[in-house]
Amino acid sequence: MGLNIDCSPWVKSGLITHEDMLDRNWAYWATFSQDVLWSLYVGRECCVLPPRKDRQIPLPWVGSEIDQAPWYWAPCKMPPQPSHVVRTFEKTCELMLIARRIMDFV
């Protein structure tokens, strides 16, 4: 799929937009995480390559206003809380990197 590459040079050269790069990065991390989880579930090897150490693929939107979107659940009778959707996804991806290293080691 070609998602596990740093495409920031493409943005600088005008081949793709910055938004396209963010979408590609998000798609990579979502696919990587799903691949690790599915591999653990069915007991098979992973298919999606982890990010290279020399070319890290950043998680998009970390620290953005998306995390501040209010989350509210009426039955709990608590005031609205920040959703932390992106932060939760970031930490999940970090856990998937650890899981992948364990799977590759065993």
Side-chain angles (χ1 to χ4, degrees), residues 17 41 50 95:
T17 65
Y41 177 69
L95 287 172

Side-chain angles (χ1 to χ4, degrees), residues 7 11-12 15 25 49-50 69 77 82 86 99 105:
C7 56
V11 175
K12 290 176 186 169
L15 291 173
N25 291 350
L49 294 173
K77 298 181 180 155
V86 178
F105 181 73

Side-chain angles (χ1 to χ4, degrees), residues 10-47:
W10 297 354
V11 175
K12 290 176 186 169
S13 66
L15 291 173
I16 64 172
T17 65
H18 183 71
E19 290 76 21
D20 288 340
M21 181 184 74
L22 294 177
D23 289 342
R24 287 178 59 88
N25 291 350
W26 192 270
Y28 167 75
W29 283 109
T31 305
F32 175 80
S33 296
Q34 185 176 10
D35 180 53
V36 171
L37 289 170
W38 189 249
S39 296
L40 285 169
Y41 177 69
V42 299
R44 67 162 171 81
E45 297 291 322
C46 292
C47 298

Side-chain angles (χ1 to χ4, degrees), residues 73-95:
W73 190 50
C76 75
K77 298 181 180 155
M78 290 177 57
Q81 306 289 319
S83 67
H84 297 295
V85 172
V86 178
R87 186 172 182 167
T88 302
F89 184 65
E90 174 192 23
K91 298 305 177 188
T92 300
C93 292
E94 289 175 11
L95 287 172

